[in-house]
Amino acid sequence: MLQLKNVSKNFGGLPALSDVSFDVPRGKLTALIGPNGAGKSTMINCMTGVLEPSSGEITFQQQLISNLPAYKISRLGISRTFQNLKIFPRLTVLENILTGLSTEGGDSMIMAMLRLPYLRHQERQLKLRAMAALDRFGLTDKANWPARVLAYGDKKRVELARATVGKPQLILLDEPVAGLNAEETATIAEQLRLLRSSGHTMLLVEHDMDLVMEIADQVVVLDSGKCIATGTPAEVRNNPLVLEAYLGRMDATA
Ligand SMILES: Nc1ncnc2c1ncn2[C@@H]1O[C@H](COP(=O)(O)OP(=O)(O)O)[C@@H](O)[C@H]1O
Ligand SMILES: [Mg+2]
């Protein structure tokens, strides 16, 4: 579904990604792992048009996207969450979720003037979908709260609800359970399992190895901007390069 070919990204001459190539297959969950600073978030930023790769190509369903701005990539059906939460603090929880449907509500002014009843109907439908998403993530009670007053764990759930409400073709999740306690992690993990079993295509950046080993179909390992291994969780777990370059170090710092 998504293909990276020799993608590199430099920041002021320093390489954050060097010649990275891998595929994200349709209907599967691909985990992207690697130590801090390996380039995982930079990779997601390149895939979503937040950053433009310095060289290389990213294609989504055979279309070149690495030269497209973020809003166009989003319209093609790629959604994401951010490692450092990006929710709208002054909007309500429900309004935050509705922004995840903004590419579907986009009618012109003329449409708005000529077809008001249709628009009202459409608005109601979008709101129903947003409410259903809130329900899935246990946020119904807080639908009308301003997002800024939510606890950190609830904000993570709002991001995930927003990233999934629009029925995206590809969902990129940057550390969705980072900083959450065991109970909160379990809730999110359950949602990820549901998304996976309903056939969604996902790329998951995650440090929780138990979670990665359990739910990933494929694992891609980055280290210092280079892709050092790809394979099934079992293959990657037993890869000496990975053990040395990543798992060993992570065990040491965990
Ligand atoms: N906007 C930026 N400007 C300069 N350097 C950056 C920027 N974003 C990331 N980097 C650098 O790129 C490298 C990879 O960072 P990042 O993609 O955030 O890693 P990860 O998500 O794997 O922890 C790091 O050395 C980081 O300091
Ligand atoms: Mg990161």
Side-chain angles (χ1 to χ4, degrees), residues 227-240:
C227 177
I228 60 164
T230 57
T232 64
E235 285 164 357
V236 163
R237 171 176 260 165
N238 296 317
N239 182 322

Side-chain angles (χ1 to χ4, degrees), residues 27 29 191-200 202 215-217:
L29 193 155
Q191 288 304 321
L192 297 182
R193 275 184 215 106
L194 283 173
L195 287 166
R196 178 176 173 269
S197 57
S198 57
H200 284 81
M202 288 184 276
I215 67 174
D217 298 290

Side-chain angles (χ1 to χ4, degrees), residues 52-73:
E52 195 178 340
S54 308
S55 62
E57 289 188 349
I58 304 176
T59 54
F60 177 60
Q61 313 198 103
Q62 269 87 50
Q63 179 179 353
L64 185 70
I65 60 164
S66 33
N67 55 355
L68 294 182
Y71 76 93
K72 286 198 177 155
I73 295 180

Side-chain angles (χ1 to χ4, degrees), residues 101-113 115-116 118-123 126:
L101 291 166
S102 60
T103 55
E104 298 178 40
D107 289 285
S108 70
M109 183 73 94
I110 302 283
M111 274 280 283
M113 289 192 300
R115 305 185 52 188
L116 211 48
Y118 166 77
L119 273 189
R120 285 216 186 103
H121 170 77
Q122 197 195 28
E123 229 176 83
L126 293 179

